[in-house]
Amino acid sequence: MKILYSPASPYSTKVRMAAHYAGLPAESVLTDTNSNPPDLIASNPLGKIPTLVLDSGQAIFDSSVIMRYIDRETKGALYPRNPEKRVQAEVLEALCDGICDSLLAIVYEKRFHPPEKVHEPWIERQWEKVERALDYLDANMPKTGTKLHAGHFALAATLRYIELRFAGEWQKGRSKLKNWPDKFEKQFPDYKLFKA
């Protein structure tokens, strides 16, 4: 079993950390999506990462689908059994994935357009979404009890990505959120292994 990934991808980081935490034996295979590698294209026609390839050759893609697969295979290691707590974990994961969607939209707008073609109103709109979501998270910090869940891994991956691409641009006025990765690392010491 292998996870095709890129170290800078927050979705890959989320999945790889969760698989490690849950004890799913999956080899991480570094993948350059820009070169349309045959392994990736054969497994995922969208050419996106992460993609989980099972020993049977079956491919599972989209990070949230992979997370649910890991949860099933590890008998509920990632999502709480209690329905209310499960919904909270799923909503946190969705919020963090949405933040990453907006951050990537900004990165791609700047990366693939010459400066004179960059559409600043689009960037501002995406950054507004990020700011609102970060404010919401800071005001509604997720509890990290004795057991971590999928939402925690999504948040950890999101904060690592925003610090990678937008260092110093998100922490002001969000002290709880800024300090959260240290709390997470106390519960998941291997967090340091998943740096971009």
Side-chain angles (χ1 to χ4, degrees):
M1 187 180 311
K2 58 189 177 182
I3 299 171
L4 306 181
Y5 83 102
S6 166
S9 160
Y11 313 105
S12 293
T13 301
K14 173 183 73 169
V15 164
R16 291 174 62 231
M17 286 191 299
H20 182 77
Y21 173 79
L24 187 78
E27 174 192 2
S28 292
V29 178
L30 188 60
T31 305
D32 176 14
T33 58
N34 293 321
S35 65
N36 284 336
D39 281 1
L40 177 61
I41 299 303
S43 301
N44 181 344
L46 297 172
K48 293 172 73 175
I49 49 155
T51 294
L52 175 65
V53 182
L54 307 183
D55 292 337
S56 66
Q58 178 185 358
I60 300 170
F61 43 88
D62 186 85
S63 66
S64 61
V65 177
I66 296 171
M67 294 290 277
R68 281 154 185 79
Y69 176 83
I70 294 169
D71 186 65
R72 286 190 302 274
E73 289 297 302
T74 58
K75 298 182 175 34
L78 296 182
Y79 295 92
R81 294 190 191 283
N82 175 286
E84 185 179 335
K85 290 182 178 179
R86 182 178 180 105
V87 168
Q88 290 171 358
E90 290 173 340
V91 168
L92 177 58
E93 181 183 5
L95 179 62
C96 293
D97 285 354
I99 292 170
C100 291
D101 292 345
S102 290
L103 293 171
L104 282 162
I106 294 169
V107 168
Y108 291 153
E109 179 70 16
K110 291 179 176 179
R111 182 179 296 166
F112 295 114
H113 293 104
E116 67 276 7
K117 299 269 188 180
V118 169
H119 191 61
E120 287 299 330
W122 170 254
I123 290 175
E124 289 167 14
R125 174 88 171 122
Q126 298 307 314
W127 190 251
E128 283 172 14
K129 294 178 187 180
V130 170
E131 294 265 18
R132 283 196 308 265
L134 294 176
D135 288 343
Y136 175 86
L137 285 167
D138 193 67
N140 301 277
M141 286 306 301
K143 294 177 183 170
T144 49
T146 55
K147 189 172 186 231
L148 297 172
H149 59 60
H152 295 129
F153 291 103
L155 179 55
T158 298
L159 294 180
R160 176 149 290 157
Y161 184 74
I162 197 170
E163 184 57 23
L164 174 69
R165 298 293 189 212
F166 301 89
E169 296 181 42
W170 64 274
Q171 295 95 331
K172 188 176 178 183
R174 301 186 183 102
S175 58
K176 292 178 190 171
L177 195 57
K178 179 183 173 185
N179 294 325
W180 187 83
D182 292 335
K183 292 179 182 178
F184 174 76
E185 190 164 4
K186 285 177 184 169
Q187 305 227 201
F188 184 65
D190 290 336
Y191 185 39
K192 60 184 172 291
L193 301 175
F194 297 89
K195 290 187 177 177

